[in-house]
Amino acid sequence: MNAKRYVVTVSVATVWTSAESPRSLDQVALESPVDIKEWLHRLTYENRLALCNENLVQTQLLFGEEVEMIKQEGNWCYVLIPSQPSKKNNVGYPGWVPASQLKAVELQKQDASAQVIARKTLLVIDNQTELMLSYRTTLPVVQYLNEHVEVETPLGRGLMLAKDVNVVQSDAELHPKTGAHLVSEGKRFLDLPYLWGGMSSYGFDCSGFTYSLHKANGYTIPRDASDQATSGKVVSYEEMEPGDLLFFAYEQGKGFVHHVAMYYGNGQIIHSPKTGKAVEVIPIKGMEYEDEICAIRRYWT
């Protein structure tokens, strides 16, 4: 008898702190299918800031991503996310997701996976349903069809452009030879607006950006900056190479870790800074958090 698992059935599912967290203006983010672009369009600077300041959102999930179902209360499910390591729970990141955005499916043997390498790509299911998928979305491959790849999805078999995906047998095949490859990937998201809890090419937060770049290249690292800062290989400032992660803490580096950036090279970082700003490359010298550097870690070797 095949095991059951729960997977995400929308392009991007937002994981909320509680079932009471969403505001009326967030309703479009709770629907299935979801319109993340429209939701973000409706949010003012103050609305976006509240996602963090009022602790409304925890993280996000991509189409087809697996969760561990803990319980369902009404129209909401409390889940754990094994692919997003966190000190909040040793199984994976916890939070609440609308039940309509999840589906129980049978666990299938997977020989190859198609991972979206484009910033976004269109998935067409059964020649009718269309979803705009984010970078890093990963689905089981059924077969190649000329310029398309047929994939298995929670909603049926679908087609994606072959040029927009990378087909691999294992995560090890994704590993870059240098950290500079991670930087090159990150540059593709320059000018993408920051989103608290963001884990997709619709918007990243600081650790969602670094997590996603590593995950897309076969490395599963902790979801949050404070957890990322305590793992990986310790690197000194003098040994720092492109692709390494710099962490910033309050109280001139002695307090709580609140930000992460990736070393770009030539004394610069690339990061998703904060609400109201976008992914950028800036010099370390003179930056807002220059005196708060508390750790440097390397995950790409």
Side-chain angles (χ1 to χ4, degrees):
M1 186 174 180
N2 289 333
K4 287 281 188 179
R5 61 174 180 169
Y6 287 84
V7 296
V8 176
T9 58
V10 294
S11 55
V12 182
T14 300
V15 182
W16 303 84
T17 303
S18 74
E20 291 73 40
S21 294
R23 306 153 295 185
S24 58
L25 57 82
D26 299 318
Q27 181 58 40
V28 69
L30 310 180
E31 296 171 354
S32 182
V34 72
D35 191 340
I36 291 295
K37 186 177 179 180
E38 175 60 25
W39 176 51
L40 297 177
H41 176 71
R42 295 181 184 184
L43 300 183
T44 64
Y45 170 79
E46 289 74 18
N47 296 154
R48 284 174 173 255
L49 199 60
L51 295 174
C52 168
N53 290 351
E54 297 178 22
N55 191 31
L56 303 181
V57 167
Q58 291 294 303
T59 185
Q60 288 183 320
L61 290 155
L62 302 182
F63 182 68
E65 194 164 359
E66 184 178 351
V67 301
E68 183 172 317
M69 176 75 69
I70 302 302
K71 61 181 177 179
Q72 181 169 350
E73 294 182 359
N75 297 324
W76 286 85
C77 297
Y78 183 68
V79 304
L80 301 175
I81 309 169
S83 58
Q84 297 182 25
S86 171
K87 63 174 175 286
K88 294 181 178 182
N89 190 289
N90 58 13
V91 173
Y93 220 94
W96 292 83
V97 179
S100 64
Q101 296 183 346
L102 299 174
K103 181 181 181 180
V105 299
E106 288 189 350
L107 189 62
Q108 302 289 335
K109 185 178 183 300
Q110 184 175 311
D111 293 323
S113 297
Q115 178 179 267
V116 177
I117 56 175
R119 190 154 159 168
K120 295 187 183 77
T121 194
L122 183 69
L123 170 72
V124 181
I125 302 172
D126 297 331
N127 295 316
Q128 52 184 7
T129 304
E130 295 186 350
L131 282 79
M132 189 60 70
L133 301 184
S134 166
Y135 170 80
R136 196 176 60 77
T137 302
T138 304
L139 297 165
V141 171
V142 177
Q143 62 178 326
Y144 287 93
L145 294 170
N146 298 320
E147 296 179 350
H148 293 83
V149 174
E150 185 178 22
V151 292
E152 197 73 61
T153 88
L155 304 178
R157 290 188 172 179
L159 296 176
M160 294 189 291
L161 285 172
K163 69 179 180 63
D164 287 345
V165 302
N166 187 14
V167 176
V168 296
Q169 306 292 325
S170 68
D171 281 353
E173 292 182 42
L174 298 168
H175 291 175
K177 292 182 173 59
T178 67
H181 178 77
L182 298 175
V183 172
S184 179
E185 288 275 290
K187 286 168 62 177
R188 297 167 56 206
F189 299 99
L190 289 172
D191 301 323
L192 180 69
Y194 176 98
L195 176 67
W196 172 259
M199 289 283 275
S200 81
S201 52
Y202 288 92
F204 294 111
D205 62 17
C206 68
S207 56
F209 181 58
T210 54
Y211 169 94
S212 295
L213 293 177
H214 281 81
K215 185 66 174 175
N217 286 281
Y219 298 102
T220 298
I221 71 175
R223 164 62 178 91
D224 288 339
S226 57
D227 292 341
Q228 292 176 9
T230 60
S231 301
K233 178 184 178 181
V234 177
V235 176
S236 70
Y237 194 89
E238 293 71 29
E239 298 171 320
M240 192 163 53
E241 294 182 32
D244 293 343
L245 302 183
L246 291 88
F247 298 90
F248 305 84
Y250 296 117
E251 301 172 21
Q252 284 72 54
K254 298 178 181 178
F256 179 76
V257 173
H258 66 86
H259 189 62
V260 57
M262 180 175 286
Y263 186 57
Y264 183 84
N266 300 318
Q268 297 176 299
I269 57 168
I270 181 169
H271 67 156
S272 187
K274 59 183 177 181
T275 301
K277 301 194 74 174
V279 175
E280 62 181 4
V281 175
I282 60 170
I284 297 172
K285 188 172 179 59
M287 71 168 291
E288 184 178 1
Y289 309 135
E290 182 184 2
D291 64 349
E292 295 185 349
I293 297 174
C294 64
I296 302 170
R297 296 288 185 268
R298 180 177 300 162
Y299 285 95
W300 51 268
T301 56

